[in-house]
Amino acid sequence: MIPPAPVRMPDFVTHHGPHGLTMTASVLATVPLVQAHLAIPLPLHDRSDLAVLDVLAACWPDLPACARFEQSGGAVAISRRHQWLMLSLSCTADLLPLLADTLAAAVGAQYTDDQVRIAASKATQQASLVAAHPSAYSVRRLWAQFYGHLPPFADPAPAPVHVAGVSAQQVTEAHHRCIDPERSQLVVVGDLDPAQAFARLDAALGSWAAPPHPVAEPLCPPAVAERRIVTHHRPGWQQTHIRLAAGSVPRRMPSAFAAAQVAALILGGSFSSRINTALRERHGLAYRTTLSLGDHLEADVLQLEADVNPSSVVEAMSHLFRLLEEFATTGATDRELASAVGYIMGRHALNLGSHSGRAGCLMSYLTSGIPLSGIAEAPEHIAGLTLSDVREAALLYHPERMSGVVCGDATGLPDEWF
């Protein structure tokens, strides 16, 4: 097999403005577009924080500045992803001044009773939709089992009743506490001159100030010591959700994390992975299987999902146990390793070649606290992996290290598994 080509480090410039915001610009002039990602950490300590900050996020798309930006041909996307409020703006390069003004309007937003009432109504509707979906129940049960309780950052949505009661005063107070430039990151990628872009952004964001008393970030709770996979009876469900999780290597350990990424991809992270091939393709037991590594505050966690027919749960769990134990015992084959390395290297290069992909890649490193030099170093670690490295990572995913839930019609199923 031809070895993958080395990934070229993208050019970037970092700037710390008078407002305290860290800004990173990268020139990508393939098309005359600009993409900006702003990530603001949200200190989610309890269910009230979750509800109030989701309403705050729902206020921003309706700001007059966002409407003007979209009417001029720009695109706005706002979401909460775990403990991060993410604002994404994209437009043609000539609209960079308008992009800067739109960012300034969002971080300097004022909230009226009418605005918050409309946003709370939208957020309540969204929370109700999430609550009605079976996957939300499974996700909540998984992380409650993994951590011993459900941390706010891991909750897919607040309770609708909590959202409906959020007031403009609560949103205003949360904005003043949490929308902090000194803890946030801004990435701008596109057809731009970094020095001119920084000057324009500094001018627009000049009034954004850090709160006098920043809120402390919550610590990631440790996983519970006792590993258990339990059954939750949900009568009438047409599918049964298998949701498993295990602690993984932190991404601040680049060599070990690279091995964990490759191991996860081989085990269940692609269409040709062992779990998908066995459960979905060979035995026809699963409608869907996924496996991924995700960051939970300061920790990294492997999450495995399989949606199966209720009549096939016992067989599916038997195959999963066998696959996990076999992989942890024997590791990967030469062919699996070469294929996984080539896939990850190719995907990494493709991401860096697009505006949204490069912005997302830069932001993922910045929000993880990893030096941007890792963008070039990570592929080197991956390309240098040996079967022994992946075997060591595979040990992390032994079934005895798994916590999780089986949610669905549990008639005839055991209370605990493995």
Side-chain angles (χ1 to χ4, degrees):
M1 180 174 289
I2 300 174
V7 175
R8 181 180 178 275
M9 182 69 185
D11 295 329
F12 66 90
V13 183
T14 298
H15 171 72
H16 301 280
H19 32 65
L21 175 66
T22 299
M23 298 187 286
T24 303
S26 181
V27 178
L28 185 60
T30 51
V31 291
L33 295 176
V34 171
Q35 178 103 25
H37 288 183
L38 175 66
I40 302 173
L42 301 177
L44 301 172
H45 292 93
D46 53 36
R47 298 294 178 269
S48 176
D49 287 340
L50 191 64
V52 172
L53 289 165
D54 269 20
V55 173
L56 185 154
C59 286
W60 283 14
D62 292 334
L63 294 173
C66 289
R68 286 194 298 272
F69 188 74
E70 291 182 323
Q71 290 164 3
S72 300
V76 179
I78 299 164
S79 63
R80 177 183 65 85
R81 189 161 66 228
H82 292 309
Q83 74 274 19
W84 292 95
L85 176 61
M86 311 295 292
L87 169 61
S88 175
L89 302 175
S90 58
C91 61
T92 53
D94 60 300
L95 293 180
L96 179 62
L98 183 60
L99 183 150
D101 292 340
T102 305
L103 282 172
V107 300
Q110 304 291 320
Y111 305 94
T112 66
D113 290 335
D114 285 344
Q115 287 174 323
V116 172
R117 184 173 62 253
I118 293 170
S121 176
K122 292 179 179 179
T124 300
Q125 183 180 32
Q126 179 62 28
S128 299
L129 290 172
V130 172
H133 201 284
S135 63
Y137 178 88
S138 302
V139 167
R140 286 171 172 142
R141 300 288 75 75
L142 167 64
W143 299 124
Q145 181 69 31
F146 186 77
Y147 289 116
H149 70 283
L150 179 61
F153 73 84
D155 199 331
V161 66
H162 293 159
V163 179
V166 171
S167 68
Q169 180 178 352
Q170 288 176 294
V171 173
T172 298
E173 291 174 352
H175 185 111
H176 291 158
R177 290 196 316 269
C178 304
I179 308 304
D180 181 356
E182 294 183 355
R183 299 185 303 132
S184 303
Q185 297 282 349
L186 175 65
V187 170
V188 186
V189 174
D191 186 6
L192 52 82
D193 177 274
Q196 294 179 5
F198 290 146
R200 187 64 187 83
L201 289 162
D202 279 343
L205 298 169
S207 61
W208 189 11
H213 305 291
V215 181
E217 288 289 334
L219 297 175
C220 188
V224 295
E226 185 181 9
R227 306 296 183 191
R228 297 175 63 212
I229 301 171
V230 301
T231 301
H232 289 265
H233 184 42
R234 305 300 291 171
W237 275 25
Q238 299 303 304
Q239 294 182 2
T240 295
H241 294 173
I242 299 171
R243 302 290 185 264
L244 307 179
S248 189
V249 177
R251 58 194 64 211
R252 289 188 175 87
M253 299 171 59
S255 296
F257 185 71
Q261 283 181 295
V262 169
L265 183 66
I266 294 169
L267 180 60
S270 69
F271 187 81
S272 60
S273 67
R274 292 191 182 189
I275 290 175
N276 191 69
T277 298
L279 264 66
R280 189 171 182 268
E281 301 303 305
R282 184 179 305 135
H283 299 289
L285 300 175
Y287 304 98
R288 180 184 72 94
T289 68
T290 66
L291 187 147
S292 60
L293 283 174
D295 57 316
H296 281 196
L297 297 181
E298 296 298 317
D300 282 275
V301 178
L302 180 94
Q303 182 178 352
L304 189 160
E305 299 184 358
D307 298 341
V308 304
N309 188 300
S311 64
S312 305
V313 177
V314 173
E315 186 180 359
M317 289 294 283
S318 176
H319 282 296
L320 273 177
F321 182 92
R322 175 184 58 80
L323 289 164
L324 292 167
E325 186 176 48
E326 183 179 87
F327 188 60
T329 302
T330 63
T333 66
D334 286 307
R335 184 170 182 174
E336 286 175 326
L337 175 58
S339 177
V341 168
Y343 176 82
I344 292 176
M345 297 280 280
R347 185 177 60 182
H348 195 58
L350 284 174
N351 280 341
L352 294 176
S354 72
H355 292 77
S356 60
R358 182 178 297 187
C361 182
L362 289 166
M363 186 60 80
S364 70
Y365 277 79
L366 291 167
T367 54
S368 299
I370 303 173
L372 291 179
S373 58
I375 293 174
E377 293 168 356
E380 294 176 0
H381 290 299
I382 289 172
L385 289 174
T386 66
L387 288 174
S388 177
D389 296 328
V390 178
R391 165 80 179 280
E392 186 174 349
L395 290 170
L396 297 170
Y397 309 141
H398 192 281
E400 292 180 354
R401 298 193 72 253
M402 294 284 173
S403 295
V405 293
V406 176
C407 300
D409 190 332
T411 304
L413 297 181
D415 293 333
E416 294 192 26
W417 301 81
F418 295 178

